[in-house]
Amino acid sequence: MTDASPADRPTTTCRACGRTVVGFLDLGRQPLSDHFLTGAETAGEYFFHLSVGACQGCTMVQLMAEVPRERMFREDYPYYSSGSSVMQKHFTDTARELLDGEATGPDPFVVEIGCNDGVLLRTVHEAGVRHLGFEPSGKVADVARSKGLRVRGDFFEEGTAREIRASDGPADVIFAANTICHIPYLDSIFGGVDALLGEDGVFVFEDPYLGDILAKTSFDQIYDEHFFLFSARAVQTLAARFGFELVDVRRLPVHGGEVRYTIARAGRRAPSSRVAELIAEEEVTGVATMARLERFAADVRAVREDLVALLTRLKADGKRVVGYGATAKSATVTNFCGIGPELVSWVTDTTPAKQGRLTPGTHIPVRPAGELTADYALLFAWNHADEIMAKEQAFRRAGGKWILYVPRVHVRD
Ligand code: DWN
Ligand code: SAH
């Protein structure tokens, strides 16, 4: 792939501020990252063009094209948040923190956007605190309901938020994990937050952090669902545009590096020093400058070359390589690198909804987790490396080796 000259780069309109977004990385033709297919479905598979750019006004990094939300978040959306024990603990701890620090009034009300299978709200419910989850994906929402949680099966947006304000009153906390970065229609989100949040309430959300993505070359965080790659500076500008203020940031180790943003109505809370510190750090590393982003794009192409070269060599040597974790992220890696079943025999995954199906675009079979019999396992779920390697020690003892591509392609034996 050759670099386009600046004048040739694609542009679009920023979904955060309306100014011009200039593309810096083209990841090509890509499928829906969470659409695991039956054999019969491969013929009519949906594809879109995945490329990413940065706003020349507010610096927000974002996709250059949108996939309609109903194609992604459907009845059979197959990601279940409780599939990782580390994430279960993370969300139990997060819920306790919100309950202790924010939901302290006489009858507090906690709302979650994208509550999925109830991994966080469960703790809120057990504490006897009034709650509501918004979750448009049918089956995962049903799992949350089976835990006794109150879930509205709709997209959170201004209209649905206003209805809840009218029926339930103001929220003390509106929380979202790995969901706000999925939502291009930010005007409607902030309109909804404005309608539903109490005067002294907080809007707290955590998402993959651009600074970590650049530092680790984790380009697999870019896929249809991840519309925005947030930085503190861009989120601060965004919040201000809607009459809110970024009052705290916290770096988190989960999912390869995230930031939790706390937003309040402008002037209601004194911002912590962490906000200015993180933004200053972003200035030093040049997080959203075109020069840094173009360097990232070059790093991404180098990872592709190294990974394909390694897998091709292993195949020539007669080694069996399997994938570990049929992640949404792996759609970007396999489709961008052209990795199909000839290089990776199958992918193992604990999620029943993915098993017996084929990976999006590249059609690698997904098999249930069982005995890991392979020479090499390509760790697509690298963000859960500690949890997975701890339970797969027999694989290593039997001579199996892990292949990782974050932060660069390497083999761990
Ligand atoms: O933002 C998103 C994040 C939170 O979840 C969504 N857009 C979609 C999804 O992304 P992902 O699929 O890349 O997430 P994970 O958490 O990296 O997916 C892990 C996959 O690996 C799941 O399919 C479960 C599986 N797994 C496994 O087979 N054995 C996970 C663990 C921990 C395991 O031990
Ligand atoms: N919060 C969970 C789930 C993240 S996956 C976690 O961190 O693990 C993203 C979730 O957001 C999906 O379950 C999807 O159905 C949901 N979602 C997407 N757009 C939404 C919207 N506008 N309102 C509410 N939920 C939404």
Side-chain angles (χ1 to χ4, degrees), residues 33-34 73 77-81 83-85 87 177-179 181-182 208 221 223 225-226 255 258 324-330 348-351 354 369 380-384 387-388 391:
S33 62
D34 260 315
F73 309 117
Y77 182 68
Y79 183 72
Y80 290 76
S81 305
S84 151
S85 57
M87 292 314 297
N178 307 299
T179 299
C181 76
H182 294 53
Q221 293 285 12
Y223 55 92
E225 295 173 21
H226 283 184
H255 286 311
E258 301 205 323
Y324 200 110
T327 58
K329 294 184 289 293
S330 65
T348 165
D349 196 286
T350 49
T351 314
K354 297 181 181 177
F380 288 129
W382 56 268
N383 45 311
H384 302 298
E387 179 175 349
I388 289 170
K391 71 178 174 196

Side-chain angles (χ1 to χ4, degrees), residues 20 83 88 125-126 171 213 223 252 317 333 339 385:
T20 303
Q88 284 186 29
H125 175 54
E126 282 165 8
I213 293 168
Y223 55 92
L252 306 170
D317 290 349
V333 177
I339 298 168

Side-chain angles (χ1 to χ4, degrees), residues 69 73 77 79 81 87 91 112-116 119 134-137 140 154-157 176-179 182-183 185 189 225 255:
R69 62 186 188 178
F73 309 117
Y77 182 68
Y79 183 72
S81 305
M87 292 314 297
F91 285 124
E112 185 177 4
I113 306 174
C115 70
N116 198 270
V119 68
F134 277 87
E135 181 45 72
S137 297
V140 294
D154 287 312
F155 290 94
F156 181 94
E157 56 197 338
N178 307 299
T179 299
H182 294 53
I183 303 180
Y185 40 100
I189 292 299
E225 295 173 21
H255 286 311

Side-chain angles (χ1 to χ4, degrees), residues 282-302:
E282 290 176 355
E283 293 297 321
V284 172
T285 54
V287 150
T289 58
M290 287 309 270
R292 177 67 189 94
L293 295 170
E294 276 156 14
R295 192 148 52 83
F296 167 73
D299 292 344
V300 171
R301 291 188 281 269

